[in-house]
Amino acid sequence: MERQSTYTATATIDEQGILTGWSDGARRLLGYDSSAVVGRPAAALLAADAAAARRALTGRNRWNGSVLLLHRDGRPVELGVLAHRRTSDTGVTDWLVVSAVTARPQPPRGEPLEEWTFLQSPFPLAIFDADLRLVRANRRLEHALALPEAAMRGLRLSHIVPGTGSEEAERSIRQALEAGRPQEAPGRLGPLGRPAFLTPLKDADGRVRAVCLSVQQPDQDSAGRQRPPADTGSRVGTAADQARAAQELGEVTVPRLADVMAVDLLDAPWTGTGAAGPPPDPVVLRRAALRAVPDGDGPAHGTVAGEAVVCAAGSPPARCLAVGRPLLYDTADPDVAEWAALDPGAAWLRASGARSLLAVPLLAEGSTLGVVLFGRRPSREPFGPEDLRLAEEFTAKAAAGIERARADALVRATTMTLQRSLLPHPLPDQGALEIATRYLPGASRAGVGGDWFDVIPLSGARVALVVGDVVGHGIRASATMGRLRTAVRTLADVDLPADELLTHLDDLVLRLAADEGSADPAAETASGIGTTCLYAVYDPVSRRCAAARAGHPPPAVLTPDGIVRFLDVPAGPPLGLGGLPFEAVETELPEDTVLALFTDGLLEARDHDIDEALDKLFAALGRPAKSLDSVCDRVLTELLSHRPDDDVALLVARTRALHTDRVASWELDAEFTVVSLARRYADEQLAAWGLDEATFTTELMVSELVTNAIRYGRPPIRLRLIYQGTTLTCEVYDSSDTTPHMRRARIFDEGGRGLLLVAQLADRWGTRHDRIGKTVWAEQSLTAG
């Protein structure tokens, strides 16, 4: 099998039909850049009627077939696609659409007996080439996945059966290719639900050319019927979300216990009896899983997620929920037959031809979560006592898993709410930088991490950019992130240099760790030790950027001449190690330079190494874009083909410059006679800027700040005015390190009211210390009149 030019085109579409993701393979296939299609209706790319596509996807979790798409140049492109409906831990649903684009010829067929052996093997078999793409699938695998070989050919396993198990198996396939030794793939493969074995396939020269994946089948009894091993039920209730926990129950019980089954869940658990009173009539549930043994060579029933099921009081599901125990029915009974014939929620039972029906409540920790219905066809014995015992055992495990998944989802939602409340939204007004941001929570079951970003306006028109990553996941990590973000804002308000700010933050992390350790030495903490942080300050007047980092990736920079590079910032240790220095560097950035600050989750995607990730990052930043939002979307699309394992925070900024026509400064003598001269300088400059209405307020502030600098400071003394369109800043510098402060003046005191007056007139005021001397500044809003 020769390696050919093969690639995979992927796209993601939300429930409203809007394109949210667009891979480089999709760009190669149809000619559109991600910035041209992301955010637009997917139907715009169809050459045929979009209504037909919507009808084909309605009520499905997976679809495969051919679609006719429009290339950018207007020509139609017929394409075979495979679409998966996915629901995240937070309940967000979208579609993953994949297609393998290949010039690969059909692999040569072997001798008839060999071909028959492969096609008719009782084990699901698949062959993957050196690019990890499927080239052959036998009938048993087609049957197990309900997909023809043509729909899978050229795709990777993670695109055929999305999920963690497939991604782990892909890594094992690569290892088998490299090592040339058979091995077992870890975990279980999605709907196959069983372990897989990997066998390298070698040519006559002993070179590994492909890998054969074979899926272990259940044992068989003496009559040739499949019999699951004794521990089949051990995987029930292990899934991370409710839908998957319900599917696991179906995978284990069909066909072992039943020919068909359905899981219907209540939107909110209830006791169903006792003090809570009788259950409502009708009972409204939501279908979580539907599974049946296949008819002949036809596909098995798949899962229908989110479908509402309304059950009247006398129906088997409602009765089972009311009494809180299993109930056994014969579908020939008139009441059951009438329910099965008329209730849309029982159409699956009518279609299966089941004769024996078993309803089992899902009970966990005193709450009723829903009901499971099992059906058997007339060809099997009706349900008996042993079947009832097994059904209760499996259902109890599933209920525990569903309850655990509910709790995990609640914790995750709480953590997400906490974290999003701590992130800046909307971004603060400032004129130094154009800003765009993105935040993507990871797929980890441990919960949302502690990644954060911040934009902090500083005095003198400057702005600070912060990106950080707290070790760990969950509420602890988010709470620690909130404490560190607050600390950074507090330290930034006193205008500490970047390296000093990180030193103070390092001390804070050490104190947090000591406090948590003394409170509960045995507890697992998330005190922030190991946290990484990047702090950068940009000055639009000097167009210089000062930055320091604590173990964090450096920012990427795109200069106006199209060169992309990393800003050379010394790494520094992560926070919490203590006693190690941080080093800040300062560099000049031309106007319209693009800065990209990010957390390491962006570069740690599971399908490429760090060098490939950096190449993709630089390429995504280097291509022209209409807006910074387009840059953010392009970076995420290029680097993330899957939902990231770790959180990703991305902040992209474009520098602006305040030119000399917006900044005026004067050197002043240290004599009180220059106060009137300073006021005249300010009056003339405000007149030149057309800001006559601000003259009176500015005169008062200039008088007080210059007088204080002469009285309490040391020369040289400088006055500077900065006009930013909506704000006017007055700054007075002197070389003294003393910090001015307001004091309470007595009635007959001649002084002591200057800073109080400045504080009343200004929207913001403060002091920032330089290496030598200080600057007292006051900022007033021009939009407020």
Side-chain angles (χ1 to χ4, degrees):
M1 288 173 284
E2 297 297 330
R3 299 182 66 175
Q4 302 288 334
S5 176
T6 301
Y7 60 91
T8 303
T10 66
T12 54
I13 306 171
D14 65 17
E15 285 286 77
Q16 287 70 46
I18 303 300
L19 278 160
T20 58
W22 190 257
S23 72
D24 185 64
R27 179 191 62 79
R28 293 172 60 187
L29 176 64
L30 295 180
Y32 298 97
D33 288 334
S34 62
S35 59
V37 294
V38 170
R40 295 179 55 198
L45 299 179
L46 293 175
D49 181 15
R54 284 193 293 269
R55 288 193 299 271
L57 297 176
T58 300
R60 295 173 176 263
N61 278 328
R62 188 181 67 192
W63 181 86
N64 69 279
S66 295
V67 294
L68 196 62
L69 303 176
L70 286 175
H71 193 275
R72 184 182 179 185
D73 59 15
R75 59 185 169 86
V77 177
E78 186 172 3
L79 193 66
V81 301
L82 176 60
H84 301 277
R85 189 174 189 266
R86 309 177 301 181
T87 302
S88 70
D89 295 340
T90 57
V92 178
T93 301
D94 66 357
W95 284 88
L96 170 66
V97 183
V98 299
S99 179
V101 184
T102 177
R104 185 190 311 278
Q106 287 287 332
R109 304 291 179 173
E111 296 296 326
L113 286 177
E114 297 172 356
E115 182 72 7
W116 297 339
T117 301
F118 176 81
L119 292 177
Q120 300 176 31
S121 169
F123 302 98
L125 299 175
I127 297 177
F128 293 87
D129 65 11
D131 293 325
L132 309 187
R133 299 179 183 277
L134 185 140
V135 294
R136 296 296 308 277
N138 73 345
R139 292 168 185 168
R140 179 64 68 173
L141 184 70
E142 290 179 311
H143 180 76
L145 297 180
L147 282 172
E149 182 189 82
M152 298 183 281
R153 190 181 302 121
L155 294 177
R156 294 169 65 152
L157 187 60
S158 57
H159 286 146
I160 299 170
V161 189
T164 305
S166 298
E167 292 154 11
E168 293 175 348
E170 272 194 359
R171 287 192 285 271
S172 297
I173 293 173
R174 188 181 297 279
Q175 292 170 4
L177 282 165
E178 294 171 352
R181 295 189 301 271
Q183 57 183 287
E184 182 176 353
R188 299 171 184 270
L189 295 180
L192 298 175
R194 292 185 291 275
F197 296 92
L198 304 171
T199 305
L201 303 180
K202 302 178 180 179
D203 61 16
D205 298 326
R207 292 178 299 176
V208 178
R209 307 303 294 271
V211 169
C212 178
L213 179 147
S214 59
V215 179
Q216 179 181 355
Q217 288 289 79
D219 296 336
Q220 294 184 333
D221 59 20
S222 57
R225 295 185 297 268
Q226 292 181 347
R227 182 182 62 207
D231 64 343
T232 299
S234 61
R235 73 175 187 273
V236 176
T238 61
D241 62 88
Q242 298 179 63
R244 184 63 195 135
Q247 294 172 34
E248 283 181 344
L249 180 61
E251 292 166 3
V252 169
T253 56
V254 177
R256 176 182 185 180
L257 179 65
D259 296 313
V260 63
M261 63 82 66
V263 181
D264 296 333
L265 300 178
L266 294 160
D267 286 333
W270 46 270
T271 59
T273 58
D281 181 18
V283 178
V284 179
L285 303 105
R286 200 160 297 279
R287 182 137 298 159
L290 176 63
R291 189 175 181 86
V293 294
D295 293 318
D297 293 330
H301 292 282
T303 301
V304 179
E307 177 185 347
V309 179
V310 181
C311 300
S315 64
R319 289 179 186 172
C320 177
L321 291 172
V323 300
R325 58 180 175 82
L327 297 176
L328 187 59
Y329 297 93
D330 189 321
T331 57
D333 293 345
D335 292 343
V336 180
E338 181 180 0
W339 165 73
L342 301 179
D343 194 327
W348 60 275
L349 186 68
R350 182 172 62 252
S352 70
R355 182 62 182 271
S356 183
L357 176 67
L358 178 60
V360 184
L362 281 162
L363 305 175
E365 300 182 0
S367 298
T368 302
L369 308 180
V371 62
V372 185
L373 302 172
F374 299 98
R376 276 188 178 176
R377 294 170 178 164
S379 58
R380 297 179 67 174
E381 291 292 327
F383 291 111
E386 178 63 18
D387 301 318
L388 179 60
R389 183 192 67 78
L390 279 176
E392 287 186 296
E393 176 185 336
F394 291 147
T395 303
K397 290 182 179 180
I402 291 171
E403 178 65 19
R404 191 162 51 247
R406 281 182 187 268
D408 289 346
L410 178 61
V411 170
R412 185 176 180 85
T414 302
T415 307
M416 283 287 296
T417 302
L418 171 63
Q419 185 167 42
R420 292 196 181 280
S421 69
L422 295 173
L423 295 175
H425 183 75
L427 295 173
D429 291 333
Q430 47 77 37
L433 296 165
E434 179 189 352
I435 302 285
T437 63
R438 294 291 186 272
Y439 180 85
L440 294 179
S444 169
R445 186 174 182 177
V448 179
D451 294 23
W452 91 93
F453 60 83
D454 209 347
V455 179
I456 309 172
L458 302 177
S459 63
R462 298 167 305 133
V463 65
L465 302 178
V466 191
V467 174
D469 186 356
V470 174
V471 174
H473 294 81
I475 291 180
R476 274 187 177 271
S478 292
T480 300
M481 177 269 282
R483 299 169 81 174
L484 296 181
R485 176 175 179 263
T486 301
V488 171
R489 282 187 156 259
T490 302
L491 295 170
D493 281 344
V494 297
D495 265 311
L496 288 178
D499 52 344
E500 291 184 27
L501 183 142
L502 292 181
T503 300
H504 283 281
L505 202 61
D506 187 48
D507 294 338
L508 172 64
V509 170
L510 288 172
R511 289 198 298 274
L512 291 177
D515 291 345
E516 291 200 9
S518 61
D520 186 1
E524 180 184 352
T525 65
S527 59
I529 290 180
T531 294
T532 65
C533 183
L534 170 65
Y535 183 80
V537 176
Y538 174 68
D539 185 345
V541 177
S542 65
R543 296 191 291 279
R544 298 190 70 82
C545 179
R549 61 189 179 112
H552 201 85
V557 176
L558 168 65
T559 53
D561 56 7
I563 297 175
V564 184
R565 59 183 174 86
F566 278 127
L567 206 60
D568 187 13
V569 183
L575 299 176
L577 300 186
L580 299 175
F582 300 96
E583 183 179 351
V585 296
E586 188 172 297
T587 184
E588 184 172 342
L589 298 178
E591 187 175 4
D592 290 329
T593 296
V594 174
L595 286 164
L597 289 68
F598 51 88
T599 53
D600 56 8
L602 182 68
L603 302 179
E604 294 178 351
R606 51 182 91 122
D607 56 352
H608 52 235
D609 57 27
I610 186 68
D611 291 332
E612 183 181 356
L614 293 177
D615 291 341
K616 289 185 175 182
L617 173 64
F618 281 20
L621 290 174
R623 295 207 302 271
K626 297 179 180 178
S627 66
L628 292 187
D629 284 313
S630 298
V631 174
C632 289
D633 292 337
R634 178 191 298 158
V635 168
L636 296 180
T637 300
E638 293 291 338
L639 273 77
L640 302 176
S641 58
H642 303 78
R643 183 176 173 184
D645 294 324
D646 194 9
D647 293 14
V648 174
L650 174 64
L651 187 156
V652 179
R654 179 179 285 115
T655 62
R656 296 167 176 159
L658 280 176
H659 300 286
T660 55
D661 60 338
R662 293 299 182 98
V663 181
S665 62
W666 302 271
E667 295 281 345
L668 302 177
D669 295 331
E671 299 176 1
F672 288 106
T673 56
V674 304
V675 175
S676 61
L677 181 61
R679 287 199 299 267
R680 182 162 60 84
Y681 287 155
D683 290 347
E684 292 173 352
Q685 188 59 60
L686 293 182
W689 284 337
L691 302 178
D692 295 330
E693 293 181 359
T695 300
F696 177 73
T697 301
T698 307
E699 277 187 354
L700 290 175
M701 289 193 292
V702 167
S703 293
E704 297 301 334
L705 294 181
V706 172
T707 299
N708 276 355
I710 295 171
R711 178 172 296 164
Y712 304 109
R714 292 197 302 263
I717 297 173
R718 287 192 295 270
L719 168 65
R720 185 168 75 159
L721 297 179
I722 303 174
Y723 173 36
Q724 286 186 270
T726 59
T727 60
L728 178 67
T729 303
C730 173
E731 298 182 342
V732 175
Y733 167 85
D734 72 84
S735 61
S736 170
D737 291 328
T738 58
T739 301
H741 61 277
M742 290 188 293
R743 65 182 178 89
R744 182 176 181 178
R746 292 185 294 272
I747 295 176
F748 298 105
D749 286 351
E750 294 182 2
R753 299 179 179 84
L755 287 181
L756 179 61
L757 180 61
V758 170
Q760 294 298 315
L761 294 174
D763 293 298
R764 297 194 308 150
W765 78 280
T767 304
R768 70 173 180 269
H769 288 268
D770 299 321
R771 299 295 182 186
I772 299 176
K774 67 178 182 298
T775 299
V776 184
W777 57 272
E779 181 180 293
Q780 57 179 306
S781 172
L782 301 177
T783 57

